[in-house]
Amino acid sequence: MVGIGALYPAARGTEQYWRLLTAPATDGTPAPAAGGLGDIEVDVARFGIPPAQTGTMARMQVLALEAARQCLQDAGYDRRPLPSDRVDVAVGTCFGLDRQYANALRIEGARYAVELERTLAEHGGDASDASAGTSEEFRAALIRRLGASPHDRVGELVSSIPARVASAFKLRGRTLALESADVTSYLGLAYAMDNLRAGLSDAVLLVVGQRHEGPFVARALAAKGLEEKASTRATAPCDTGPFSEGVGALLVKRLSSAEQDGDRVYATLRSCVLRHEGRPGVFRYPVRAGLWEEAAVAGRTSCAAAEAVQYVEAAGSGVAGESHAEQRALTALFTGAAPGSVAVGSVRDRLGHTFANAGLAGVSKIALALHHRRLPGGGTQSQVPHGGALRAVPMTEDWPAPSGGGPRRAALVGSSLTGTVAHVVMEEHRTSHNRGGAPPEGHRAVTGTGTVSRARPIPIAVVGYGGRFAGCPDAEALWAHTLAGRSMVGPMPDDVFDRSIYYAPGALSLDRSYTDQGASLPVPDGPPPGLRLPPSRYAALDAAQRVALDVAAELLARRGYPPGGLPGSGLVAVGSNLGLHNERRLNSLLCVDVLEQVADGLAALGSLSARTRREVLRLMRDRTVADADFTHALDGCLASGVAALIANEFALDAVPVAVEAACASSLAALDLAVGRLRSGAVDYALAGGVELPCNARDMVLCSSLGLLSHERITPFDESADGFSPGDGCALFLLKRYDDALRDGDPIHGLLRSIGASNDAKSLIAPDIAGQASAMLQAFAQVEFEPSDVDYLEAHGTGTRVGDRVEIAAVAQVYGAVARRRPLDISSAKAFFGHTFAAAGATGLLRALHAVRTATVPPNTSLRNISPDLALDRIPGRIRTDAAPWEAPDGHPRRAAVSSFGTGGINYHLLLEEYQGRPR
């Protein structure tokens, strides 16, 4: 760890953060800092952000930029260059952002406007006379109140946060956002360590933040019995503790690289282990003490940490069952240690519970403590079991050197309300020496000079798959529709898209869509067979959760796995919009007072008596909030809840995480999963993506920026004018190749590599160099050349610029070496629309079918290939009919999948046919 950024209510920078942690308190029990981050002023112009986009930026974007700036400055990279091509940016946050809530309220407000006009007309008298034109007047007034811009779709994406950071500091590595409830920071750390140890990255900038963005979170936590109690201390055994704000940043590098580059090293991260307790039922904190011990033992084993830990940064959640489990586990772990030899504290004493940020706040605290060789005070005996090795640290004290002469070492533990525990081991930095054995098989070994060898990564076997799309109840139907050349794009059902409110063909608008075309997927109305979810809980699930649960059931049933039938530790990584529809809808219902204030200021209502206005607004409130049930709201709105629902209902001990990289989200989720498998951290991974963009909000936001086709998406056609949205979900079960052979799993294909990059330029315009960089990185990991790939499942957005740039990037990489045959190119979007976060997984599913069946899939809705594409430079071809895929000479069939996202995010995956031969 070579850089730290810290933004907390009582600490605006690393030095202030350390002073806050070590400040004395009169009674030794400092209360958590109150307040928020609303008063921090950041000059966004210094980050090169166009004025037209500043109003659309979520507040978290602004704070993340400032935390990143602090962190890079703290590391000294304001005075010297940071090699940027291999620097990743990972951002973590939980729950919706302010702009997401505002945009959702604006779209929901259009429905309120229509209902208001109807209510006035039905009321009779003066109200009826005043009703004419009220709807349009209200919609215009609401836009003025909440703000609106054609850039709202880009501004509200969580992945725009790391994209902004990458663009501001010209960082061109991997770019993604992730969320795993309270353990979000730990997933970010694990991701960073995997990429650094694998040699895929030279540095990772991790930024994790949490804010009060709207009324939903407090209401949902209260309904779950986890309401905020700001007047009580988080360390009391049965308090839930306050949910507070904080944004932090870390710059992490390989130790050898940091020493070679002359970095100041705060501390070293030795291990980061996560374990999950897959229990069906409502989401809850883990209570099995053995789970905490398993994570701790695995963490210490993986980093060969034989010496004793001297300090433990406890989760200290205050949730009774979880706190007792943590205390029992800590007592058991340090049985036999000298009395009082292990100090215990919790950063929540000073900050409260910063939720997604909690782990990063704790890691930063330990790093500073190791660097200063001081133990921050604040812990009290109430959070420490009486007697034994554990002791509290009421006041800041010196951190003595271990008696055995080794480095000072600390552990950090955390847990999430979805059932995950985490254990991190850190130690002070000393003169470099060999720290542990050889890297896991399949990794690129890092040498003492910081360079990376060319050891080939192990293949990852696809041993299961499932999917659901418009007109396709399962993954096999997708292939059948593909071979038949049938597009599922058409007019959306009335219950999905209300044309009377949101449809206005022919013109750009801030609250209407100029098209009604999409590929809509029916949402399941009951759980898949074998799962028992109470009707009230199932009804509260987001539509994306329901669809993903059905696809997971299909995947496991195809393989023959019963619930709980996947042995070992796993990961469920789902590419998703970090801000599910249900959460935005419920937050909008809680903001009905905003709608009432807008309505009360209308000229139409101003002419009514005060009594009539009250009656009308009361009727509107009753009709608006009638279905607001928050009993299971948190479980049905958490973005990582899509993955957690799968893990828990199928009793999988698999850590759940949601990943967002705009339209490349599912390939980013697969990249995370592949990294976890190759590092040896998990035994299997279930990964893919889900999104249902056929809804009024996404239609309006995408239409206002002119992204949608006026008719129907036609990738690569000269008439291409944008995309059509499509609902979809595709999931894959992955194992290391050797493990799949050992277990007798069916192997449908092999994932050979995934390359990724960021343009670090425009958040909207595609870039040839950025896309080519991701492709080249993918090929740098394998032994074959672009000329050995016969089929490309292209991103194919259906915009003239997007298609032209993509093919130009393909020509730059795939056309650089003489080809034996033309590269066949196709895109799933012509068949199933643009499935947003699921787009890469949709493409992978088609490519997987292609290599399994030795069939090149066709394109559809293609009339005249655009002359702008210059396919002869590859050379490439775009078929309109399926064709046999002739066996290549001397190697298996190979395909590539591209997925690019808003924010300059680029991913490229290489897939290989499994031929049944040992590798």
Side-chain angles (χ1 to χ4, degrees), residues 539-687:
L541 296 180
D542 188 85
Q545 290 177 301
R546 298 189 194 185
V547 171
L549 195 63
D550 271 29
V551 172
E554 175 202 343
L555 181 156
L556 295 172
R558 177 178 287 112
R559 176 59 184 87
Y561 284 123
L566 288 173
S569 299
L571 175 80
V572 180
V574 178
S576 171
N577 188 326
L578 300 190
L580 299 184
H581 177 77
N582 256 10
E583 179 185 358
R584 301 187 197 203
R585 181 183 65 85
L586 290 174
N587 191 80
S588 294
L589 293 180
L590 293 174
C591 295
V592 67
D593 58 324
V594 175
L595 303 180
E596 289 174 345
Q597 291 166 14
V598 172
D600 205 30
L602 299 179
L605 270 72
S607 63
L608 305 179
S609 67
R611 178 179 178 181
T612 301
R613 284 203 307 273
R614 286 195 301 270
E615 289 177 356
V616 169
L617 293 178
R618 179 185 57 79
L619 286 170
M620 285 298 300
R621 178 175 284 262
D622 291 344
R623 295 174 181 179
T624 302
V625 301
D627 61 343
D629 183 0
F630 287 83
T631 305
H632 299 291
L634 195 68
D635 290 18
C637 293
L638 200 62
S640 63
V642 178
L645 189 71
I646 293 170
N648 292 348
E649 293 307 317
F650 288 102
L652 306 177
D653 289 337
V655 176
V657 58
V659 179
E660 192 200 297
C663 303
S665 296
S666 49
L667 286 198
L670 283 156
D671 185 45
L672 172 64
V674 167
R676 296 266 74 198
L677 283 164
R678 285 179 172 158
S679 72
V682 299
D683 301 305
Y684 64 87
L686 199 156

